[in-house]
Amino acid sequence: VFLGHSWCTDEHGRDVHALTRAVAYSLTVRGLQVFFDEGSTKPGDEFRQAELEAIELSIVYVGVVCDQFVKKVGGNNRTDDCRLEFMYAIDVRKPDNMLALPIEAELAENMSKLPTMLHCMLKSQPYPARLDPTLDGVADEKGWEIKMDALAAAIRDRVPRPASCNASSTSSG
């Protein structure tokens, strides 16, 4: 799983990077392999190349979506890491293997304001309206765990299952 996010403070004053770190930890303890831009690259790696390789190796891209993420992804700054990661993920993961985790309720409720590709990513998901994945207003540990369980399940739904072996075995003896 690749977690894309913006290094910023969201509209409610929360540190988005710290929140993304908590999401990464929560997904890791649920048995998922997670890459995000803290502690996932080795010293000496060229960071941007490491990010792109991580997107290629990941099966699912999850965008931790706040207002700044939307502005960066929808903006014209072709050198912005957030935008580069997102656009590269569209190329290699396609929207079916991309999930958005909106952290502000306003974004989850008002998709019409989102850039086209981000809107398509959200629209293709089975859970935005049904499970309310937004982290806005999650104040207790139980609420967090429920949302992380839902996110992990949505990620696992996108992981291809190995073909089962239907050959019957016989034992002698």
Side-chain angles (χ1 to χ4, degrees):
V1 177
F2 183 94
L3 293 178
H5 71 291
S6 179
W7 285 67
C8 66
T9 302
D10 74 2
E11 290 184 345
H12 303 287
R14 296 174 296 190
D15 180 342
V16 175
H17 184 73
L19 184 59
T20 304
R21 183 184 311 115
V23 171
Y25 175 78
S26 292
L27 294 176
T28 300
V29 298
R30 285 166 174 77
L32 296 168
Q33 214 173 6
V34 177
F35 177 95
F36 95 114
D37 59 4
E38 181 177 80
S40 300
T41 57
K42 296 179 218 125
D45 282 351
E46 184 173 326
F47 187 67
R48 184 169 287 163
Q49 185 61 38
E51 289 173 317
L52 299 180
E53 287 173 8
I55 292 170
E56 285 179 29
L57 294 172
S58 67
I59 295 171
V60 178
Y61 170 96
V62 176
V64 179
V65 182
C66 64
D67 187 57
Q68 284 299 311
F69 181 92
V70 170
K71 287 176 182 171
K72 289 179 175 195
V73 167
N76 294 324
N77 182 354
R78 297 190 187 278
T79 62
D80 181 82
D81 284 341
C82 193
R83 185 178 194 280
L84 286 169
E85 292 169 7
F86 182 81
M87 299 308 285
Y88 191 69
I90 287 172
D91 285 342
V92 297
R93 288 298 118 226
K94 308 300 180 208
D96 286 347
N97 277 7
M98 296 176 72
L99 295 169
L101 180 62
I103 62 171
E104 297 165 341
E106 305 84 43
L107 292 173
E109 294 165 3
N110 203 354
M111 292 193 311
S112 64
K113 291 186 176 180
L114 300 179
T116 304
M117 284 312 299
L118 191 55
H119 178 74
C120 290
M121 186 174 89
L122 278 166
K123 191 176 174 186
S124 71
Q125 296 178 39
Y127 69 88
R130 205 170 70 227
L131 294 177
D132 181 28
T134 181
L135 296 181
D136 197 17
V138 175
D140 63 11
E141 189 173 330
K142 185 177 180 182
W144 174 267
E145 295 301 323
I146 289 168
K147 290 180 185 288
M148 292 298 101
D149 287 343
L151 179 60
I155 291 166
R156 285 191 179 98
D157 285 346
R158 284 158 174 78
V159 176
R161 309 270 188 293
S164 61
C165 181
N166 291 330
S168 59
S169 62
T170 59
S171 59
S172 57

